[in-house]
Amino acid sequence: MQTLNVDLGDRSYPIFIGQEIIKQGLLASYIAGNQVLIVTNETVAPLYLQTLQDSIPASIKVDVVILPDGEKYKDLDHLNLIFDQLLQKRHNRTTTLIALGGGVVGDMTGFAAASYQRGVNFIQVPTTLLSQVDSSVGGKTGVNHRLGKNMIGAFHQPQCVLIDTTVLNTLPEKELSAGMAEVIKYGLIYDEAFLCYLEDHIDGLMGLDSGLLEQAIYRSCEIKAEVVAQDEKESGIRALLNLGHTFGHAIEANQGYGEWLHGEAVGAGTMMAADLSCRLGWISSMDVARVRDILSAANLPLFPPQSMTPGQFKELMSVDKKVLDGQLRLILLKGIGSAVVTSDFSIEKLHETLEAGTSLGDCC
Ligand code: NAD
Ligand code: GLY
């Protein structure tokens, strides 16, 4: 087992990464009171709920909420199912919520914990690659609104994150690819050597080689922890973690949440960000080819849905959380391993990228 720390003063917490660690009872010392509510979904519950329950000491009263599975249920209506259970089972302010599932369960549980009785503890037990390398770390929690993704939420850090890499063995291949989009993101924005590692080992990683995966998860969490420690509330460097996300969120919103997986949309969005960076002369077409090759090796889409028009993109991108004073800001590449958040691009260049993306035209 490997351990990392997210350094946030009195809100610091450990991330434990290893095989079969759900079984090891590590959670017990992070449960303050004598009540927990496990939040999971109908897919993950039959796989891992019993193992998690068995790891909790008998002296602690355990309640469970099983949510329907899917991004389309990440909304205020379904968040209420968690509050209903907390109130019906008389959970008080010393309760601990435990998120067992992917990013949807993690974001909803975290937001329930942030707001129940003005804030209670929670623990992340992420079960998808995406949630293990990204959403379980850093304290962004929330739900979607009909008019925008993750628009209702709060920053609320967990007590600890328990990453059991063996659970990835039951993950559908498409979900593994979606998670790999976020792993690749860390190499592109922060660490070229890590991107080289991914390029060298992508087949083994996609084949679920446990040693390679554990290393990739560790380095991804390490980068995320470093960034979050510098900028917890995203007033600066943390925005870089959103490479490809502004384009990606537009795809998700246009297609209806859940049609395109978040990571798939991020994959196509990362290609668009690389394309625009190249059109601005910030990276070379060889760099763009590198981005395309690694995304393609991870079986990720390289283009947005062909039904989407540049006009639809612009409309949906204008509600992004990174829009400041009416000005769209994007995460773009200044090189491989180096990114900026910027509004320093012309609308014409953005339009060229959107045109190229939506008509399968030539990339830069
Ligand atoms: P998800 O939670 O929908 O999980 C994907 C699918 O895999 C679901 O069907 C789930 O039931 C299933 N699943 C989960 N674990 C499994 C396992 N071990 N075996 C078999 N099936 C399993 O999707 P996700 O990709 O994990 O997360 C996407 C969500 O995360 C989005 O809502 C996105 O907005 C959010 N997100 C949040 C942050 C953040 O910082 N908070 C960062 C990135 C993404
Ligand atoms: N996934 C982006 C962030 O946590 O900031």
Side-chain angles (χ1 to χ4, degrees), residues 134-135 137-140 155 182 185-186 224 227-228 232 234 238-242 245 262:
D134 192 353
S135 60
V137 176
K140 278 190 184 174
F155 286 96
E182 304 283 9
K185 167 189 84 178
Y186 291 113
K224 178 134 191 195
V227 170
V228 168
E232 182 184 7
E234 198 170 304
R238 184 166 180 169
L240 301 184
L241 297 173
N242 292 315
H245 285 57
H262 174 74

Side-chain angles (χ1 to χ4, degrees), residues 41 43-44 47-48 69 71 74 102-104 107 127-128 130 134-135 140 149-150 167 170-172 175 224 262:
N41 75 18
T43 305
V44 177
L47 296 168
Y48 305 112
D69 183 2
E71 182 78 32
K74 184 180 163 183
V104 169
D107 281 11
T127 61
T128 60
L130 184 141
D134 192 353
S135 60
K140 278 190 184 174
K149 191 166 159 61
N150 294 332
V167 302
T170 56
L171 198 63
E175 299 291 349
K224 178 134 191 195
H262 174 74

Side-chain angles (χ1 to χ4, degrees), residues 285-359:
S285 46
M286 296 225 328
D287 292 330
V288 178
R290 242 179 120 180
V291 178
R292 185 177 55 237
D293 290 350
I294 187 76
L295 293 171
S296 164
N299 302 323
L300 285 158
L302 303 176
F303 292 98
Q306 293 309 294
S307 57
M308 273 187 86
T309 63
Q312 286 170 328
F313 261 104
K314 283 183 202 153
E315 174 73 26
L316 289 164
M317 287 164 78
S318 70
V319 295
D320 189 82
K321 289 193 282 308
K322 285 181 293 305
V323 170
L324 258 193
D325 301 329
Q327 197 159 29
L328 181 62
R329 296 182 311 147
L330 292 171
I331 315 308
L332 297 177
L333 296 172
K334 283 275 180 168
I336 299 293
S338 166
V340 285
V341 52
T342 181
S343 51
D344 186 15
F345 51 85
S346 67
I347 201 73
E348 289 76 24
K349 289 283 177 210
L350 174 63
H351 193 84
E352 281 174 28
T353 289
L354 296 176
E355 274 287 338
T358 55
S359 62

Side-chain angles (χ1 to χ4, degrees), residues 206-228:
M206 295 306 290
L208 291 174
D209 180 298
S210 57
L212 293 174
L213 268 175
E214 195 170 318
Q215 272 319 106
I217 293 168
Y218 182 91
R219 182 62 187 141
S220 298
C221 288
E222 190 174 45
I223 293 173
K224 178 134 191 195
E226 266 175 49
V227 170
V228 168

Side-chain angles (χ1 to χ4, degrees), residues 74-88:
K74 184 180 163 183
D75 59 16
L76 287 169
D77 288 344
H78 292 85
L79 188 73
N80 253 328
L81 299 177
I82 305 177
F83 295 132
D84 289 348
Q85 187 77 347
L86 285 165
L87 287 163
Q88 280 161 12

Side-chain angles (χ1 to χ4, degrees), residues 131-145:
S131 57
Q132 295 188 344
V133 298
D134 192 353
S135 60
S136 63
V137 176
K140 278 190 184 174
T141 73
V143 294
N144 300 327
H145 185 275

